[in-house]
Amino acid sequence: LPLKIDIIKHPNETDGKSTAIHAKLLAPEFVNIYTYPCIPEYEEKNHEVALVFPGPKSVSIKDISFHLQKRIQNNVKDKNDDPDKPFIKRKKTEEQDSNDSKCQDTTLKKIIFIDSTWNQTNKIFTDERLQGLLQVELKTRKTCFWRHQKGKPDTFLSTIEAIYYFLVDYHTDILKEKYQGQYDNLLFFYSFMYQLIKNAKCSGDKETRKLI
């Protein structure tokens, strides 16, 4: 995978129903799963980390690099706004940090996903340890999940769908490379279950029609 993935799993999320484990099984060196309230500290690296979650402050994948660069600039500015530092020293530090910021890599290093039913996400999403992170939303993708939650839009994806679609869009929009199926295997278990359930449903419909 092009970057590391952290999955924050709700403690009440049933393992047998979760698709997060698909990513861990298929890409174990790149994926870590944490059960809430266990969350790593991201604050020091907030210009390298983003949270995939829909909301009014969420940005598109295409705008990730721009917003990460702004965070680096803001971090430098905050360091130089310390009133206890002498003016001359502040000016020198400001110039030095400004040059350093231009050399810093604004490439995303890690992406975070919340694994939970949509009705349970609020507790994790509002945790103060996630508040300072850039939020990214997948606005154009539609779910194929067989347990679609009533009252939620079809752009609300299952965890493995969100991971897959994010990586595909990241590959084309950020890495600027042609996508040639590099991450398709992430959907191996998902597509298997989808087909299994689809076949079972079709068989059930046929049996029902026979009884009628």
Side-chain angles (χ1 to χ4, degrees):
L1 303 184
L3 38 72
K4 298 287 187 178
I5 294 174
D6 280 359
I7 300 173
I8 311 299
K9 181 176 175 293
H10 194 282
N12 294 335
E13 183 69 8
T14 304
D15 290 337
K17 294 182 178 180
S18 171
T19 61
I21 192 64
H22 298 183
K24 180 63 177 177
L25 289 172
L26 294 165
E29 296 181 2
F30 294 90
V31 179
N32 286 311
I33 299 179
Y34 301 91
T35 301
Y36 187 81
C38 179
I39 297 179
E41 295 293 335
Y42 298 113
E43 185 60 32
E44 293 298 320
K45 298 288 185 179
N46 70 358
H47 60 280
E48 299 178 351
V49 184
L51 170 68
V52 174
F53 198 85
K57 296 182 180 180
S58 298
V59 303
S60 67
I61 291 178
K62 291 181 179 180
D63 294 331
I64 286 178
S65 295
F66 170 75
H67 287 280
L68 291 181
Q69 179 62 42
K70 282 181 63 176
R71 285 172 177 268
I72 291 177
Q73 294 171 350
N74 289 337
N75 287 344
V76 171
K77 183 179 179 181
D78 290 342
K79 289 180 182 178
N80 296 326
D81 282 344
D82 186 351
D84 295 329
K85 292 183 180 180
F87 176 75
I88 297 177
K89 188 174 181 180
R90 283 181 64 197
K91 184 176 181 181
K92 183 178 180 181
T93 303
E94 185 175 336
E95 292 174 352
Q96 181 179 349
D97 286 347
S98 178
N99 291 330
D100 289 344
S101 69
K102 294 177 182 179
C103 299
Q104 290 192 49
D105 185 5
T106 57
T107 302
L108 192 65
K109 302 293 179 60
K110 181 176 289 186
I111 193 72
I112 305 168
F113 296 86
I114 296 176
D115 184 53
S116 169
T117 62
W118 285 102
N119 292 329
Q120 295 175 330
T121 56
N122 191 59
K123 184 176 182 180
I124 299 177
F125 173 67
T126 55
D127 190 287
E128 61 180 5
R129 292 168 290 180
L130 299 179
Q131 294 309 297
L133 299 178
L134 178 67
Q135 297 172 28
V136 181
E137 183 174 357
L138 303 171
K139 299 180 180 180
T140 62
R141 303 295 191 172
K142 295 184 178 181
T143 185
C144 293
F145 197 41
W146 47 90
R147 283 194 300 271
H148 181 68
Q149 296 182 44
K150 187 176 181 180
K152 303 299 181 182
D154 57 6
T155 53
F156 280 22
L157 310 172
S158 66
T159 304
I160 195 63
E161 285 178 311
I163 292 173
Y164 171 75
Y165 284 129
F166 177 89
L167 291 176
V168 172
D169 291 346
Y170 180 84
H171 191 88
T172 56
D173 295 340
I174 302 297
L175 301 183
K176 302 298 182 181
E177 297 178 12
K178 183 179 179 181
Y179 182 68
Q180 297 179 317
Q182 291 90 332
Y183 317 124
D184 286 4
N185 280 347
L186 284 174
L187 295 178
F188 176 80
F189 294 114
Y190 183 85
S191 60
F192 173 79
M193 289 298 295
Y194 178 86
Q195 195 62 46
L196 198 68
I197 292 170
K198 182 180 179 181
N199 292 341
K201 184 178 180 180
C202 289
S203 298
D205 290 343
K206 289 178 182 178
E207 290 300 321
T208 301
R209 285 196 292 269
K210 286 181 182 179
L211 291 173
I212 293 175

